[in-house]
Amino acid sequence: MSYDNNNIFAKILRGEIPCKKIYEDQFVLSFHDINPQKKIHALVIPKGKYVDLDDFSQNASPEEMVGLLKGINSVAKKLGISVNTGKGYRALANISEDGGQEVPHLHFHLFGGEKVGKMVSE
Ligand code: 5GP
């Protein structure tokens, strides 16, 4: 699938749609999910145009890959859910249709602030 410049996260990245920002650096933007599934439900997205994790794994630069992983850790620390803070969380990426992905810009969900429960509910 080619990248759709009009997907909702592309619009958030361009500042055309507001978000409740948590963290930003040169590689990632993080903001609260509009429809939180847990007490804490953050999204972390790369700034590059990648449709999903497979696209990112095949086409992103090593710097972007490291930047995304470090960005996830920075967000978890900022939210007080990282292992450093004695907590924990779930990082999850839905990939394409069978994976349940709705927004076609790679994103990791970070769930925390409480026990997040079983890994797969259905
Ligand atoms: P997916 O199913 O693609 O893995 O997850 C997409 C997520 O994006 C959903 O959890 C949904 O609530 C969230 N979302 C969709 N539109 C918006 C929006 O405009 N703003 C924010 N903050 N989150 C959104």
Side-chain angles (χ1 to χ4, degrees):
M1 185 204 274
S2 62
Y3 186 81
D4 171 12
N5 277 308
N6 285 320
N7 78 75
I8 200 93
F9 293 169
K11 290 180 179 176
I12 287 175
L13 275 170
R14 291 196 296 268
E16 294 167 11
I17 290 180
C19 69
K20 285 170 66 180
K21 191 194 288 188
I22 299 166
Y23 175 84
E24 181 172 15
D25 63 24
Q26 74 178 109
F27 294 111
V28 302
L29 175 66
S30 175
F31 48 91
H32 291 282
D33 196 289
I34 204 166
N35 182 24
Q37 303 298 309
K38 293 292 170 191
K39 275 188 185 161
I40 293 175
H41 184 174
L43 298 170
V44 185
I45 71 174
K47 288 195 168 171
K49 296 178 179 181
Y50 299 102
V51 177
D52 55 35
L53 188 59
D54 279 358
D55 182 18
F56 186 79
S57 302
Q58 291 168 77
N59 298 310
S61 69
E63 290 77 18
E64 288 175 302
M65 292 184 187
V66 172
L68 177 58
L69 286 178
K70 285 192 174 291
I72 289 171
N73 180 247
S74 297
V75 172
K77 281 183 183 161
K78 192 156 186 189
L79 290 170
I81 57 175
S82 70
V83 172
N84 312 60
T85 60
K87 301 288 184 182
Y89 62 101
R90 177 168 300 147
L92 178 149
N94 295 321
I95 300 160
S96 203
E97 198 178 336
D98 278 9
Q101 183 178 4
E102 289 175 1
V103 179
H105 180 114
L106 170 61
H107 50 281
F108 275 87
H109 299 256
L110 305 191
F111 300 105
E114 60 182 320
K115 296 260 190 241
V116 295
K118 286 189 178 175
M119 193 163 68
V120 178
S121 58
E122 291 171 32

